[in-house]
Amino acid sequence: MTTAERENLKFLLSMAAGGLLSGHARAIAGPLREAALAAAQHSLPKLHGDLRPEFDTGVVFCGRGPFFSDDDLAVLDRESLAYRARAERFHDHYVASGAPIARELALSQAVNDYLASQVGPVLPTYKANYLYYDEPGLGIDPHVDKDEFSLNVLTMLEHRPDRRQSELILYPPGQDALHIHLEPGESLVFFADSVTHQRTRTVTGEAIRLVSFGYRTIGSAA
């Protein structure tokens, strides 16, 4: 299968899984919906062959990452605030790209060494995006990411107020959904191109800022 063919198939499987999880197939009998969802979810990591030999939930790490210092997080926080005015709306959230500090840290030896220790050699994709969900109703429906974020290092910079509505949900194949609640400074490292995930909608007064770094495992574009 060529890279283009694999990407097209991944897109179709992602659309199928996302639509089923979002309730767009209610006219289909329940058992058939469940079978179709299971087939789509199990097929997504298999598109990568032996590169996902121990694929379970798709989560590599969740918590306070050893690859970021307090100073790293502080400068990311400041830069994300400065770049909010440059962010452009992408579907139902805002994205700012091209920030120099974020890009520099995405290429840092500390991050690359940690990822290599967990999943084997990786290639940075030079994708480092600040993400903003700071208006009511922002979020992302169930989907999988493109190859640029095959392996996603997603770090929370701010989530306010203390009582929060929006959350990140992962739907690993054959398992219960994972509800991820990151505190500021915590990171989720996961195979975002292989496990369906979503961010539920924000409510009035809620604001979220994150930074997302993209990587490929060696051979994932083959």
Side-chain angles (χ1 to χ4, degrees):
M1 185 182 299
T2 67
T3 299
E5 289 170 340
R6 183 172 57 80
E7 278 296 292
N8 287 337
L9 180 54
K10 184 176 75 174
F11 174 75
L12 293 173
L13 290 169
S14 173
M15 291 292 291
L20 289 162
L21 287 166
S22 300
H24 296 320
R26 293 189 180 92
I28 301 174
L32 183 56
R33 284 201 312 272
E34 293 173 5
L37 178 60
Q41 289 178 317
H42 281 283
S43 296
L44 283 164
K46 292 183 183 300
L47 290 176
H48 302 276
D50 293 338
L51 293 171
R52 305 286 191 272
E54 298 178 1
F55 187 91
D56 183 18
T57 63
V59 174
V60 175
F61 173 83
C62 186
R64 181 65 162 81
F67 37 80
F68 289 140
S69 68
D70 290 342
D71 287 343
D72 291 337
L73 292 168
V75 295
L76 286 169
D77 184 57
R78 289 195 296 269
E79 188 177 61
S80 74
L81 287 170
Y83 266 70
R84 177 61 184 91
R86 307 187 190 191
E88 297 183 356
R89 184 154 184 156
F90 181 75
H91 298 304
D92 287 344
H93 63 297
Y94 290 86
V95 179
S97 303
I101 295 173
R103 177 170 289 188
E104 179 181 348
L105 284 174
L107 299 176
S108 73
Q109 198 65 47
V111 177
N112 280 265
D113 286 350
Y114 177 80
L115 296 178
S117 74
Q118 300 299 307
V119 302
V122 299
L123 292 173
T125 62
Y126 300 91
K127 297 291 185 180
N129 294 337
Y130 288 116
L131 311 176
Y132 306 89
Y133 305 83
D134 50 10
E135 297 174 0
L138 296 183
I140 306 180
D141 290 337
H143 68 289
V144 297
D145 289 2
K146 295 181 178 180
D147 265 358
E148 288 87 351
F149 289 90
S150 174
L151 186 65
N152 193 336
V153 178
L154 183 68
T155 302
M156 180 66 71
L157 300 174
E158 179 186 40
H159 192 169
R160 56 179 170 82
D162 291 338
R163 295 187 65 182
R164 303 163 183 171
Q165 178 71 27
S166 176
E167 62 178 351
L168 178 64
I169 306 177
L170 274 59
Y171 300 95
Q175 302 181 56
D176 292 337
L178 299 178
H179 297 258
I180 307 293
H181 300 271
L182 295 174
E183 294 297 325
E186 292 183 337
S187 299
L188 173 69
V189 182
F190 70 115
F191 286 109
D193 68 344
S194 299
V195 60
T196 311
H197 55 283
Q198 74 173 117
R199 173 159 289 282
T200 60
R201 304 289 163 166
T202 51
V203 297
T204 300
E206 191 170 20
I208 300 166
R209 284 185 293 115
L210 303 119
V211 62
S212 176
F213 297 165
Y215 303 85
R216 290 191 181 101
T217 48
I218 298 297
S220 64

